[in-house]
Amino acid sequence: MLEAVEQLPLAQFLRRDLFAYPIVNALHILALAVLFTTALLMDLRILGLGNRLDLKAVIDTLRPLAVGSFGVAVLTGVLLFIVQPLHYAPNPVFWSKIVLVGLAFANAGYFVLARRHLDPGSSRTRLSAVMSILLWTAAILAGRAIGYFGSE
Amino acid sequence: MSFFARVSVLAMLTGLPLTLASPALAHHGWAWTSTDARFELSGTLTEIYIGHPHATVEIDDGETIWHVDLAPLAATLAAGFDETAVAIGEPVTVIGHRAADAGQARMKAVRVVTSSGTFDVYPRRAAALGD
């Protein structure tokens, strides 16, 4: 399965083209920057920072940016992965990062679906905002660590 | 604390030790190598990877299969080293620095020598070898 992924024409192109990989790599970082910043600003607003800004306006403005940048981050992340799938798959640090992203995404999904922003005074909503900041930070730290630790 | 929050905290607390438990396998940079000591390895090529984020070869010295990191793709190609420089099964010598953890058969090469030539994938470090 991973061997087949490795042989995809797109994977071979990304592996060997001088510019495609660095560009995808940079786009991944750019997407993380937008995602982390927008999530952080929404979380901080829930926790009380910038209370003179209307909560609904903040969420309505930032949420589409967060969702869109998450999509770009996943797409570029998949592209980076298929360059050396057999190299990353056995790496425990890679899997820590994936689990952390999954948890951060689940936390965000709960927040959106349960419409928690309508109830910023609730302790569950505030806990969710704190978890969001911690999980996205941990996911980024783990992601950066992939290149330095645990590689075969 | 909710179940979800507990799982999340657990994941963060396990992620960090997992990371710290495996620094000896690091490959970015030179911090994981003994840069003050020259290391030379000769054997037969068992694997070659020319691609992003950096090129690698594997070399069988008769006892162990060594994992050898080369330079990033652009620098490796600029040195003239690719799959045409050496074939699987052919003899190859690499010079550079081995992992600081001597229990590991891993090193980072600055120079690769094959029957088709000498390739300085890290030219400044290769010049500093004084060979």
Side-chain angles (χ1 to χ4, degrees), chain A residues 113-126:
Chain A
L113 295 177
R115 302 173 66 74
R116 299 305 305 184
H117 70 276
L118 297 176
D119 188 13
S122 141
S123 63
R124 282 169 73 187
T125 300
R126 300 171 72 83

PDB file of all heavy atoms in Angstrom, chain A residues 113-126:
ATOM      1  N   LEU A 113     -19.989  22.351  16.030  1.00  0.00           N
ATOM      2  CA  LEU A 113     -21.271  21.647  15.939  1.00  0.00           C
ATOM      3  C   LEU A 113     -22.164  21.932  17.142  1.00  0.00           C
ATOM      4  O   LEU A 113     -23.385  22.028  17.007  1.00  0.00           O
ATOM      5  CB  LEU A 113     -21.035  20.140  15.785  1.00  0.00           C
ATOM      6  CG  LEU A 113     -20.332  19.760  14.469  1.00  0.00           C
ATOM      7  CD1 LEU A 113     -20.056  18.268  14.422  1.00  0.00           C
ATOM      8  CD2 LEU A 113     -21.174  20.186  13.262  1.00  0.00           C
ATOM      9  N   ALA A 114     -21.541  22.080  18.318  1.00  0.00           N
ATOM     10  CA  ALA A 114     -22.338  22.354  19.515  1.00  0.00           C
ATOM     11  C   ALA A 114     -22.594  23.857  19.671  1.00  0.00           C
ATOM     12  O   ALA A 114     -23.199  24.283  20.651  1.00  0.00           O
ATOM     13  CB  ALA A 114     -21.631  21.794  20.743  1.00  0.00           C
ATOM     14  N   ARG A 115     -22.079  24.635  18.702  1.00  0.00           N
ATOM     15  CA  ARG A 115     -22.256  26.088  18.718  1.00  0.00           C
ATOM     16  C   ARG A 115     -21.823  26.680  20.059  1.00  0.00           C
ATOM     17  O   ARG A 115     -22.516  27.495  20.672  1.00  0.00           O
ATOM     18  CB  ARG A 115     -23.713  26.458  18.378  1.00  0.00           C
ATOM     19  CG  ARG A 115     -24.140  25.913  17.014  1.00  0.00           C
ATOM     20  CD  ARG A 115     -25.621  26.098  16.710  1.00  0.00           C
ATOM     21  NE  ARG A 115     -26.024  27.503  16.576  1.00  0.00           N
ATOM     22  CZ  ARG A 115     -25.747  28.269  15.529  1.00  0.00           C
ATOM     23  NH1 ARG A 115     -25.048  27.799  14.534  1.00  0.00           N
ATOM     24  NH2 ARG A 115     -26.175  29.513  15.482  1.00  0.00           N
ATOM     25  N   ARG A 116     -20.650  26.256  20.521  1.00  0.00           N
ATOM     26  CA  ARG A 116     -20.181  26.651  21.848  1.00  0.00           C
ATOM     27  C   ARG A 116     -19.897  28.144  21.946  1.00  0.00           C
ATOM     28  O   ARG A 116     -19.919  28.693  23.049  1.00  0.00           O
ATOM     29  CB  ARG A 116     -18.886  25.902  22.226  1.00  0.00           C
ATOM     30  CG  ARG A 116     -18.979  24.393  22.301  1.00  0.00           C
ATOM     31  CD  ARG A 116     -20.047  23.855  23.204  1.00  0.00           C
ATOM     32  NE  ARG A 116     -19.990  24.338  24.581  1.00  0.00           N
ATOM     33  CZ  ARG A 116     -20.799  23.922  25.542  1.00  0.00           C
ATOM     34  NH1 ARG A 116     -21.719  23.012  25.288  1.00  0.00           N
ATOM     35  NH2 ARG A 116     -20.686  24.396  26.747  1.00  0.00           N
ATOM     36  N   HIS A 117     -19.614  28.802  20.809  1.00  0.00           N
ATOM     37  CA  HIS A 117     -19.290  30.224  20.897  1.00  0.00           C
ATOM     38  C   HIS A 117     -20.492  31.056  21.373  1.00  0.00           C
ATOM     39  O   HIS A 117     -20.326  32.188  21.786  1.00  0.00           O
ATOM     40  CB  HIS A 117     -18.769  30.753  19.546  1.00  0.00           C
ATOM     41  CG  HIS A 117     -19.812  30.842  18.484  1.00  0.00           C
ATOM     42  ND1 HIS A 117     -20.160  29.770  17.707  1.00  0.00           N
ATOM     43  CD2 HIS A 117     -20.592  31.877  18.089  1.00  0.00           C
ATOM     44  CE1 HIS A 117     -21.113  30.139  16.857  1.00  0.00           C
ATOM     45  NE2 HIS A 117     -21.394  31.406  17.066  1.00  0.00           N
ATOM     46  N   LEU A 118     -21.701  30.445  21.286  1.00  0.00           N
ATOM     47  CA  LEU A 118     -22.886  31.156  21.748  1.00  0.00           C
ATOM     48  C   LEU A 118     -22.903  31.238  23.273  1.00  0.00           C
ATOM     49  O   LEU A 118     -23.679  31.990  23.853  1.00  0.00           O
ATOM     50  CB  LEU A 118     -24.156  30.432  21.256  1.00  0.00           C
ATOM     51  CG  LEU A 118     -24.316  30.371  19.734  1.00  0.00           C
ATOM     52  CD1 LEU A 118     -25.544  29.553  19.358  1.00  0.00           C
ATOM     53  CD2 LEU A 118     -24.404  31.784  19.159  1.00  0.00           C
ATOM     54  N   ASP A 119     -22.017  30.451  23.908  1.00  0.00           N
ATOM     55  CA  ASP A 119     -22.056  30.345  25.366  1.00  0.00           C
ATOM     56  C   ASP A 119     -20.650  30.495  25.959  1.00  0.00           C
ATOM     57  O   ASP A 119     -20.122  29.566  26.576  1.00  0.00           O
ATOM     58  CB  ASP A 119     -22.644  28.961  25.711  1.00  0.00           C
ATOM     59  CG  ASP A 119     -22.915  28.823  27.192  1.00  0.00           C
ATOM     60  OD1 ASP A 119     -22.884  29.843  27.909  1.00  0.00           O
ATOM     61  OD2 ASP A 119     -23.146  27.678  27.630  1.00  0.00           O
ATOM     62  N   PRO A 120     -20.019  31.683  25.754  1.00  0.00           N
ATOM     63  CA  PRO A 120     -18.626  31.845  26.168  1.00  0.00           C
ATOM     64  C   PRO A 120     -18.441  31.826  27.683  1.00  0.00           C
ATOM     65  O   PRO A 120     -17.317  31.685  28.165  1.00  0.00           O
ATOM     66  CB  PRO A 120     -18.229  33.201  25.584  1.00  0.00           C
ATOM     67  CG  PRO A 120     -19.521  33.932  25.418  1.00  0.00           C
ATOM     68  CD  PRO A 120     -20.555  32.896  25.123  1.00  0.00           C
ATOM     69  N   GLY A 121     -19.540  31.954  28.431  1.00  0.00           N
ATOM     70  CA  GLY A 121     -19.417  31.950  29.888  1.00  0.00           C
ATOM     71  C   GLY A 121     -19.297  30.550  30.458  1.00  0.00           C
ATOM     72  O   GLY A 121     -18.865  30.360  31.588  1.00  0.00           O
ATOM     73  N   SER A 122     -19.681  29.535  29.645  1.00  0.00           N
ATOM     74  CA  SER A 122     -19.680  28.158  30.140  1.00  0.00           C
ATOM     75  C   SER A 122     -18.264  27.647  30.358  1.00  0.00           C
ATOM     76  O   SER A 122     -17.357  27.910  29.561  1.00  0.00           O
ATOM     77  CB  SER A 122     -20.424  27.275  29.133  1.00  0.00           C
ATOM     78  OG  SER A 122     -19.792  26.030  29.008  1.00  0.00           O
ATOM     79  N   SER A 123     -18.062  26.904  31.434  1.00  0.00           N
ATOM     80  CA  SER A 123     -16.713  26.403  31.717  1.00  0.00           C
ATOM     81  C   SER A 123     -16.283  25.377  30.658  1.00  0.00           C
ATOM     82  O   SER A 123     -15.108  25.244  30.346  1.00  0.00           O
ATOM     83  CB  SER A 123     -16.655  25.794  33.117  1.00  0.00           C
ATOM     84  OG  SER A 123     -17.519  24.689  33.196  1.00  0.00           O
ATOM     85  N   ARG A 124     -17.248  24.643  30.099  1.00  0.00           N
ATOM     86  CA  ARG A 124     -16.900  23.678  29.043  1.00  0.00           C
ATOM     87  C   ARG A 124     -16.389  24.403  27.801  1.00  0.00           C
ATOM     88  O   ARG A 124     -15.463  23.954  27.126  1.00  0.00           O
ATOM     89  CB  ARG A 124     -18.104  22.816  28.696  1.00  0.00           C
ATOM     90  CG  ARG A 124     -18.358  21.712  29.729  1.00  0.00           C
ATOM     91  CD  ARG A 124     -19.701  21.059  29.485  1.00  0.00           C
ATOM     92  NE  ARG A 124     -19.675  20.202  28.307  1.00  0.00           N
ATOM     93  CZ  ARG A 124     -20.776  19.631  27.806  1.00  0.00           C
ATOM     94  NH1 ARG A 124     -21.958  19.855  28.360  1.00  0.00           N
ATOM     95  NH2 ARG A 124     -20.691  18.861  26.748  1.00  0.00           N
ATOM     96  N   THR A 125     -17.027  25.514  27.482  1.00  0.00           N
ATOM     97  CA  THR A 125     -16.601  26.292  26.322  1.00  0.00           C
ATOM     98  C   THR A 125     -15.201  26.856  26.543  1.00  0.00           C
ATOM     99  O   THR A 125     -14.341  26.808  25.650  1.00  0.00           O
ATOM    100  CB  THR A 125     -17.595  27.447  26.063  1.00  0.00           C
ATOM    101  OG1 THR A 125     -18.876  26.884  25.826  1.00  0.00           O
ATOM    102  CG2 THR A 125     -17.160  28.285  24.874  1.00  0.00           C
ATOM    103  N   ARG A 126     -14.953  27.345  27.755  1.00  0.00           N
ATOM    104  CA  ARG A 126     -13.639  27.928  28.059  1.00  0.00           C
ATOM    105  C   ARG A 126     -12.563  26.844  28.081  1.00  0.00           C
ATOM    106  O   ARG A 126     -11.444  27.059  27.604  1.00  0.00           O
ATOM    107  CB  ARG A 126     -13.706  28.682  29.393  1.00  0.00           C
ATOM    108  CG  ARG A 126     -14.734  29.820  29.348  1.00  0.00           C
ATOM    109  CD  ARG A 126     -14.980  30.441  30.708  1.00  0.00           C
ATOM    110  NE  ARG A 126     -13.839  31.240  31.129  1.00  0.00           N
ATOM    111  CZ  ARG A 126     -13.643  32.502  30.741  1.00  0.00           C
ATOM    112  NH1 ARG A 126     -14.509  33.084  29.930  1.00  0.00           N
ATOM    113  NH2 ARG A 126     -12.595  33.167  31.146  1.00  0.00           N
TER     114      ARG A 126
END
